[in-house]
Amino acid sequence: MRILSGIQPSGVPHLGNYFGAMRQHIELQDRGEAIYFLADYHSMTSIRDAGERRRFTRELALDYLAIGLDPERAILYRQSDLPEVCELSWLLSTVTSMGLLERAHSYKDKIAQGLPVHHGLFAYPVLMAADILIYNADLVPVGQDQKQHLEMTRDIAGSFNHTYGTAVFKLPDPHILEDVAVVPGVDGRKMSKSYDNTIRMFASDAELKKVVMGIVTDSTAVDAPKDVSTALFQLWALFATPTEREDLFGRAKAGGLGYGDVKKDLLKRLLAYFAPHRERRAQWAARPDDIEDVLAAGVRRARALAQPVLAAARDAAGLGPER
Ligand code: ADP
Ligand code: TRP
């Protein structure tokens, strides 16, 4: 089974990214041939600063290695190191209807907000389809928000196959990470970098302490029963076993448990959980050349898988000399 996912290098990852997507990527590397790439081409639709893009891309590689991506098993590479994907994107764009792209939520949202849009944003789903189809990936693990993009990928693949009367592309199965609850941010809304309410697991101890202690709670007295559906308890539960959760939630509902104690315990658990990741991150960070080696080896392996598919697509479309 071939598993593929792309991650945009768009900022420092937070607990929402980790529990919502990154952790599952690591788990899946044991279940098949996993290919993960740092989607720097895609990040061009939002980030306009070259230095920032490089920094975010390098940091994201570090983050994945830190959380346990094993470069001996999974392939990790930088999207722009495989420009073949842009060629495939062109081939696919000629079989993608305007109507399909006009229905894309991400594009429609930008228009609705009155934000300036450019062709890159409009064509984003086509590049994403190329990312996936160039490997004939079986499984694409992504969050709910990417579901529509995967449906579009299936449409685009079908359209190419139909147009040229071939079966060059396999229609990928989305693996929507639905069982993953939305991680709340420190203010109770969905954790998201755009709300500035995140807990970034690789921040310093002091910063983490400040953020955790600042999780918004109400003024319920210590003795009073607490609502365990609130952010603090839900965040705490990410680091607890089901039995621990039942126990603490029971005590919270009964009253007598103060928010401060829960925050302290959450901080302790969070630091303990990510201690090995943070150590591994520091080790990799001290060896930037090794990271480049990982990415170089990654793209070599990726290219070997991508090239035959691209060649077949070119051939089906009548590009180049007859084979
Ligand atoms: P942000 O909302 O901070 O901009 P992204 O959109 O870059 O995050 O998220 C990358 C992936 O991380 C998403 O596709 C989604 O699967 C996951 N993710 C982000 N925030 C959360 C959250 N609060 N809860 C669960 N998963 C999340
Ligand atoms: N659009 C995805 C996101 O924002 C990133 C991405 C780009 C991707 N290409 C992909 C995900 C291919 C899966 C497969 O999260």
Side-chain angles (χ1 to χ4, degrees), residues 2 46 49 65 86 134 180 216 220 269 291 315 322:
R2 198 170 280 176
S46 54
D49 184 291
L65 293 166
C86 290
I134 207 164
V180 189
V216 176
T220 314
R269 285 168 184 260
I291 300 177
D315 193 48
E322 207 152 346

Side-chain angles (χ1 to χ4, degrees), residues 51-99:
E52 191 167 70
R53 186 174 348 278
R54 285 230 168 77
R55 188 160 49 81
F56 282 165
T57 306
R58 196 186 48 231
E59 294 277 320
L60 184 60
L62 255 180
D63 296 331
Y64 265 87
L65 293 166
I67 64 167
L69 183 134
D70 175 2
E72 299 292 318
R73 272 180 297 167
I75 294 178
L76 180 69
Y77 75 96
R78 188 166 35 215
Q79 186 185 26
S80 63
D81 286 343
L82 195 110
E84 290 90 328
V85 77
C86 290
E87 180 180 358
L88 183 58
S89 185
W90 170 253
L91 269 61
L92 297 177
S93 76
T94 61
V95 295
T96 304
S97 76
M98 293 290 283

Side-chain angles (χ1 to χ4, degrees), residues 22-73:
M22 297 166 85
R23 185 178 60 161
Q24 286 78 356
H25 293 163
I26 301 305
E27 280 164 13
L28 282 167
Q29 72 183 347
D30 297 326
R31 302 243 310 266
E33 185 177 19
I35 310 169
Y36 299 126
F37 64 92
L38 315 167
D40 57 348
Y41 277 145
H42 276 107
S43 79
M44 295 181 78
T45 58
S46 54
I47 296 173
R48 300 302 205 179
D49 184 291
E52 191 167 70
R53 186 174 348 278
R54 285 230 168 77
R55 188 160 49 81
F56 282 165
T57 306
R58 196 186 48 231
E59 294 277 320
L60 184 60
L62 255 180
D63 296 331
Y64 265 87
L65 293 166
I67 64 167
L69 183 134
D70 175 2
E72 299 292 318
R73 272 180 297 167

Side-chain angles (χ1 to χ4, degrees), residues 4-6 8 37 39 42 124 128 131-132 140 142 146:
L4 173 108
S5 199
Q8 279 208 56
F37 64 92
H42 276 107
Y124 185 114
M128 183 157 160
D131 290 329
I132 297 169
V140 187
V142 287
Q146 297 297 316

Side-chain angles (χ1 to χ4, degrees), residues 65 284 287-295:
L65 293 166
W284 278 104
R287 295 154 31 216
D289 290 350
D290 289 358
I291 300 177
E292 279 306 318
D293 288 348
V294 165
L295 297 179

